[in-house]
Amino acid sequence: MENKILGLHHITAIAGKAKQNLDFYTKVMGLRLLKKTVNFDDPGTYHLYYGDEVGSAGTILTFFPYEGAQLGTAGPGMATHISYAVPEGSLEFWKQRFEDFRINHGEVSEKFGEQYLPFTDPDGLQLELVVPKNGDSRKPWVTEEISETVATRGFHAVTLTLRNIKATATILTDIFGYKLVEQNGNHYRYITDAVENAAIIDLIEAPGATRGEGGAGTNHHIAFRVKNEEVLMEFRKKVAASGFNITEKIDRNYFYSLYFREPGGVLFEIATDNPGFGIDEPFDQLGSSLLLPPQYEASRSRIEAVLPKLD
Ligand code: ZN
């Protein structure tokens, strides 16, 4: 169990204006701002993390917001839809809320025997709220407007759209321990039994579709969760032995990571539970100040001057 892939760790997407992104995810969606830091590879840009109270793996959605970003187009070669688990009976609340805030949304529909409500964030990122068949016992972050009876519990699934699912599916089943549980037309559902939540990867096969193009409103990568660095390095060996180029271990301050691009085009990351979001600020103050990794501390005033204002 402990040496397995434990479902999703986080998902990272690209956004336009940082303030608009912050308002949507914290106010409309009621997520907790977990961390306000910078893109470690581009410190003039924020890296914003949202999730539950402590930043549990499987709840973490992160963004690189670029003020003047071009909008991207979701399509094959990308993670195209992010699903959040919500309690039974909450979809009407959310539909009304999206109407009140003029958020683009569809109608409540059903797939794989589960009700869901599709919507998009202000940059057009495709999201869904899903009532999982087997419920979801995770404790949600709540706000004044989003009570426990409706609050999101964390990820339910992520959907990858691919021209051909074969090579990607093989990684999921043969390396990551997922199983195909259902197929509906060109829509395939893979699940791992290593965890109870954030355990689903859906694949859509869209052979003729134009490849997705990165930009605001598209996902940059998805990260799978492992317990610690030892398991991380075991997976590094397995992925490399299957012929894929995988990075060395990278220190992301809040977790350790490896990255490789799977043959369908999606950037996969594997990330550890340790050390977690409490490493540089107390849990009751997560997200309250701009945190920089040690290598940028000396440039703090310059970095703060170029970052857009969030309040
Ligand atoms: Zn990542």
Side-chain angles (χ1 to χ4, degrees):
M1 150 92 197
E2 294 202 333
N3 61 355
K4 287 184 172 177
I5 291 286
L6 304 172
L8 290 168
H9 184 284
H10 67 269
I11 298 172
T12 294
I14 301 167
K17 293 184 167 47
K19 174 83 167 82
Q20 175 178 267
N21 181 263
L22 178 71
D23 286 348
F24 180 76
Y25 285 98
T26 58
K27 292 182 183 157
V28 180
M29 296 298 297
L31 304 181
R32 183 172 196 190
L33 175 65
L34 290 172
K35 201 63 72 177
K36 187 165 58 176
T37 181
V38 295
N39 182 338
F40 292 1
D41 303 318
D42 177 9
T45 305
Y46 280 116
H47 193 183
L48 302 178
Y49 290 71
Y50 307 102
D52 71 356
E53 182 173 5
V54 296
S56 307
T59 74
I60 309 160
L61 179 60
T62 96
F63 287 90
F64 295 125
Y66 297 92
E67 295 302 291
Q70 299 270 10
L71 289 181
T73 314
M78 281 183 179
T80 49
H81 304 75
I82 297 169
S83 301
Y84 275 94
V86 292
E88 192 166 4
S90 67
L91 292 180
E92 280 308 312
F93 165 88
W94 284 107
K95 195 173 159 195
Q96 185 59 50
R97 187 163 180 83
F98 294 153
E99 270 155 31
D100 294 347
F101 284 90
R102 302 182 178 204
I103 305 301
N104 283 323
H105 66 87
E107 293 303 318
V108 173
S109 315
E110 197 176 301
K111 60 179 169 187
F112 296 121
E114 295 175 326
Q115 283 208 314
Y116 73 101
L117 174 63
F119 64 104
T120 57
D121 84 356
D123 294 306
L125 187 70
Q126 301 178 107
L127 298 140
E128 299 164 345
L129 297 174
V130 183
V131 179
K133 261 186 223 172
N134 303 322
D136 192 315
S137 57
R138 289 175 288 181
K139 184 175 176 287
W141 176 251
V142 296
T143 68
E144 270 178 29
E145 295 181 14
I146 311 288
S147 71
E148 182 149 8
T149 55
V150 297
T152 61
R153 264 53 180 172
F155 299 134
H156 180 54
V158 66
T159 302
L160 314 182
T161 299
L162 304 156
R163 281 192 171 150
N164 182 314
I165 69 157
K166 195 162 182 287
T168 312
T170 302
I171 293 172
L172 292 179
T173 55
D174 293 9
I175 307 179
F176 287 178
Y178 285 72
K179 289 192 183 80
L180 176 65
V181 284
E182 229 176 313
Q183 181 192 352
N184 189 352
N186 65 342
H187 202 152
Y188 301 76
R189 171 154 287 192
Y190 290 82
I191 192 161
T192 174
D193 60 7
V195 281
E196 285 181 10
N197 309 112
I200 295 171
I201 308 285
D202 285 338
L203 303 182
I204 292 177
E205 190 162 65
T210 310
R211 272 185 92 86
E213 199 173 324
T218 65
N219 289 303
H220 186 265
H221 63 266
I222 66 167
F224 293 87
R225 172 188 173 205
V226 291
K227 186 169 174 50
N228 56 33
E229 293 157 78
E230 193 186 325
V231 186
L232 185 76
M233 297 316 276
E234 285 171 21
F235 274 99
R236 188 176 188 283
K237 274 188 213 147
K238 288 183 198 171
V239 171
S242 299
F244 302 110
N245 278 321
I246 184 160
T247 63
E248 296 298 323
K249 181 173 79 176
I250 298 174
D251 181 354
R252 291 303 187 193
N253 224 18
Y254 311 110
F255 41 83
Y256 293 93
S257 292
L258 301 167
Y259 300 83
F260 70 104
R261 198 168 292 279
E262 59 82 28
V266 183
L267 184 59
F268 277 3
E269 175 179 353
I270 308 173
T272 61
D273 276 349
N274 64 299
F277 292 94
I279 189 176
D280 55 0
E281 61 189 335
F283 281 109
D284 63 352
Q285 288 166 36
L286 292 182
S288 59
S289 47
L290 178 71
L291 291 169
L292 299 175
Q295 67 268 34
Y296 296 133
E297 231 4 285
S299 318
R300 176 174 281 272
S301 57
R302 210 148 28 99
I303 289 171
E304 284 179 341
V306 301
L307 289 170
K309 295 285 164 274
L310 288 181
D311 10 72

